[in-house]
Each structure stands twice: as structure tokens, then as C-alpha cells.
Amino acid sequence: MIGIGEAFAPRYAQARQKFLQACLSAGLTVEPHLLPMRGRDGEELSCDVAFDGAPDADRLLILSSGCHGVEGHCGSGVQVFALHDAEWREKARSAGVAVLYVHALNPHGFSFGRRVTQENVDLNRNFVDFTQPLPVNAAYAELHALLVPDTWPPTAENQAAVNAWIEKNGIGAYQTAVSGGQYQFEDGLFFGGKAPTWSHRMIRAVLRRHTRRTRRLAWIDLHTGLGPNGIGERIFACRDDKSAYERANAWWGNGAGQADAAPVTSIYDGSSTSALLRGLMWDAVYDECPQAEYTGIAMEYGTVPVLDVLTALRGDHWLHRHPEAPADLSDAIRRRTLEAFYTDTDAWRGQIVSQARQAMFQAADGLSAR
């Protein structure tokens, strides 16, 4: 066991080293998937995968981090702590559950402090059928020019126009328009891409490699940026399927035996802080693991209010379009983006690990029950 603070890191390169060292200490072989470009500090970029369990296990829990780059600070800390957690590893083994740790799904975004991939794509909007006409987000099209203005910080006129849109349509409609995913503006926010990204192709290959024997599959994908600070909302991460939702609630929600347990929320019925999204990463499970009964959640930890998160992302996208920006402004934008997705306090980190650990134990129980 290590201290909770020791599990987290302020930069991607350090987070990766902590993960690799944790795997070494646990006696696990690491499978690196190298991105053919360098990070912000000139470091190697990789999504690193480690399998912990019996080779013939037919029950598998995936624990993944860094789908949205900068959110990887949180997920990496959870993974590193789990790999040092002897009680957790024994729990999984005794339940007959193998664990697949997928560290830094989007290493470029993690390294550069951005939510998107090197293609400027939101990985969790990239799993659509690109052979078909792409969805059109008309509300985002209305907002695009306002969201990424010519100058930063935004002018008073720009902010007034954004505020007027929110006043007319509501903050929920604003969040949905901006974060729901769009496929028309390549330099815009929450861009889903025009083709599968490197990370998209990589995670499909990982699923094919490690789930051939899997009959029961659970996935906890770690995220930040929505909801009250330090609170981990458990968002249903499957297709809109009643039996899968009931199973998720039995494992992680009201049916899990805790008196204070909150129900697993859903983007399908409006109970989640997340908008209804498309192109989500877990869609790949149905293609790559068709033989497996699948149950998944996204653990979404709160940081700052949603309008602050969206404003931070606006600044990040402006900076991406204006690399010539003065150093002090660039630093301020990057700092605000990090704060939108990572609360650098011991109290927050403690909440993160405690809630994730509980969800992992519950997943092991759920996978082993019959």
C-alpha cells in the first residue's frame, strides 16, 4: 500500500512512470501502445496496458484512464493506488475476476493538458459509424463563432452574446449544444472527428486482444469535470438497455446494499449531469466483444461548476488556434484547464480513491455473482 498522494502526479511523464513502477512492483507485464510523436516535455507517449489475473479468466473488469487527456491525472492516480492495493488485488483474484488496466487512453491530451487528442478530437464522441452521414448539431453551429472568438479573454460583447443565448435557451440546452458532440467544426469544441482516431483504433485492438475468453465484462472509465466537487457520479455506460441498467444499479446503485447509495444515473432519462451524447467509446464493446455480457459505468468526479469547465475549454481551444499567444496568457489558460479537471488537494484525491475503490469492489462482486 502507498499513500494516496503518492499515487497522483502533476504531469503525464511522472504519471506514466508511477504506473509502470506500480506494474513492476505487482509483477505485471506492461503492453505499451506507442503514439508516434513526442509529448510536451519531449517524452515518449504511450497508452500502457496491464493484465492482472488468471490467463483463462472469463470475467474481466476494465479500469481505464485518460480518455479525455487532462482528466488522466485523476484516473491514473486511481490505477496506481489500485496496483499497490493488496486487499483489492486479492479481492479480484478470489472472485475469479481479471483486471485490465488501460492507462492514458489519450496520452497526447494528457501530456499537453488538453481534453482532446492530437487530432483535436473528443475521443468519447469518436465512436460513430463514419460510413454513414455524420450527425448535425444545429445548436452548436449557432454558437461556434461565439465559443471560439478571435480574442481571449472574450470581449464584453462576446460574453453578453453567450449569456443571451443561455438566457433564451437555458443552461441545460447550452451544455447539451456544446458538449453533446459535433462533426462539422474541426477547430471547435467536442469535435467528434471525421474518421477513427489513433486512440480509437488502439482501444479496439486492446479489446480484441484481451476479451476473447470473456463472458462477463465490466468497465469503469474514470472521468472528471461534471458535478459537485469530489463527488463521483456513476453514469450508466451501456446502450439503452433495461436489463443492463438494472444490473448496473444492482452492482453500483440502490441495489448494492448501501443505505446511502444513489442510483446509477443515465443520459437516456435525463438523470445524469451529462448531456445525451453520441459516439461513446464503450460502443466498441458491442463490436469487439459480442460474446460478453457487458455492464459499465463512467465515474464522473466533480471539480468546478459546469460553466467554468466550458469556459476553460473555450480558452484551451482558442490557445490551440493561437500558439503565438504570450507566455503569461498561455500559462493562465493551461492552469485554468487543469483546474477544471483536477482539484489539487489531498481531500479531493482522498474522495476520488475511496469512491473508485468502492466501485471496483462492487464490480468484482457483480461479476462473480450468479
Side-chain angles (χ1 to χ4, degrees):
M1 185 72 75
I2 61 171
I4 289 175
E6 296 176 72
F8 292 79
R11 300 294 284 267
Y12 161 76
Q14 293 164 282
R16 186 186 185 209
Q17 287 307 309
K18 285 177 181 282
F19 180 78
L20 296 178
Q21 182 59 52
C23 290
L24 180 64
S25 297
L28 304 182
T29 299
V30 175
E31 172 190 314
H33 296 262
L34 299 177
L35 179 64
M37 55 179 58
R38 289 284 167 171
R40 182 177 172 186
D41 299 322
E43 75 274 29
E44 184 176 71
L45 295 178
S46 177
C47 175
D48 296 301
V49 177
F51 182 90
D52 188 10
D56 60 349
D58 64 359
R59 302 172 190 192
L60 179 69
L61 169 64
I62 300 174
L63 187 67
S64 59
S65 69
C67 173
H68 291 136
V70 66
E71 299 178 26
H73 294 281
C74 166
S76 174
V78 169
Q79 292 172 312
V80 171
F81 188 85
L83 286 163
H84 286 284
D85 186 346
E87 183 183 4
W88 156 243
R89 296 186 68 211
E90 176 55 32
K91 169 70 176 182
R93 281 194 296 269
S94 64
V97 172
V99 184
L100 187 69
Y101 296 91
V102 184
H103 184 267
L105 284 156
N106 169 12
H108 186 274
F110 196 168
S111 177
F112 283 88
R114 303 198 70 210
R115 191 173 176 278
V116 293
T117 68
Q118 67 274 14
E119 301 99 338
N120 199 50
V121 167
D122 183 320
L123 180 59
N124 220 25
R125 309 293 184 275
N126 188 237
F127 287 77
V128 295
D129 184 353
F130 288 102
T131 68
Q132 300 298 313
L134 294 174
V136 174
N137 185 338
Y140 180 89
E142 291 180 23
L143 286 162
H144 175 70
L146 294 175
L147 293 172
V148 191
D150 292 333
T151 61
W152 196 266
T155 63
E157 291 78 10
N158 174 273
Q159 195 58 55
V162 172
N163 292 342
W165 199 99
I166 295 173
E167 184 175 350
K168 176 183 177 183
N169 298 281
I171 190 169
Y174 178 70
Q175 181 184 346
T176 298
V178 178
S179 69
Q182 56 85 18
Y183 299 83
Q184 282 69 51
F185 301 90
E186 296 189 26
D187 62 345
L189 280 68
F190 297 89
F191 175 57
K194 300 292 188 184
T197 63
W198 176 88
S199 291
H200 176 145
R201 299 190 301 272
M202 178 273 300
I203 192 59
R204 285 187 181 274
V206 168
L207 290 173
R208 287 193 295 271
R209 174 176 170 81
H210 291 283
T211 64
R212 289 193 296 269
R213 297 184 180 87
T214 304
R215 293 293 175 266
R216 305 194 76 199
L217 173 65
W219 193 342
I220 301 174
D221 190 30
L222 298 157
H223 290 264
T224 61
L226 287 177
N229 184 270
I231 303 301
E233 179 185 354
R234 298 166 181 209
I235 305 174
F236 183 54
C238 302
R239 288 177 176 169
D240 190 8
D241 175 79
K242 181 180 178 182
S243 61
Y245 186 54
E246 289 175 350
R247 196 163 55 245
N249 259 302
W251 295 8
W252 292 299
N254 284 342
Q258 285 78 31
D260 60 346
V264 172
T265 64
S266 174
I267 62 174
Y268 303 114
D269 63 13
S271 60
S272 175
T273 58
S274 171
L276 180 63
L277 309 177
R278 58 174 69 89
L280 294 159
M281 180 174 63
W282 46 257
D283 276 335
V285 168
Y286 298 97
D287 298 328
E288 310 301 344
C289 324
Q291 80 288 350
E293 176 192 78
Y294 169 60
T295 316
I297 55 169
M299 285 286 285
E300 181 72 63
Y301 294 101
T303 49
V304 299
V306 65
L307 284 181
D308 292 347
V309 172
L310 295 177
T311 300
L313 289 176
R314 293 175 62 199
D316 169 71
H317 280 263
W318 179 88
L319 182 60
H320 182 64
R321 291 173 58 176
H322 295 275
E324 76 286 355
D328 57 344
L329 178 57
S330 299
D331 290 344
I333 290 171
R334 292 190 181 102
R335 183 168 56 251
R336 187 171 186 179
T337 303
L338 178 60
E339 290 170 354
F341 297 102
Y342 179 61
T343 301
D344 189 11
T345 66
D346 288 338
W348 190 83
R349 286 185 284 266
Q351 288 178 285
I352 297 316
V353 168
S354 175
Q355 293 169 82
R357 192 171 186 267
Q358 180 190 53
M360 290 154 53
F361 274 73
Q362 290 168 326
D365 286 337
L367 283 167
S368 61
R370 263 305 184 222

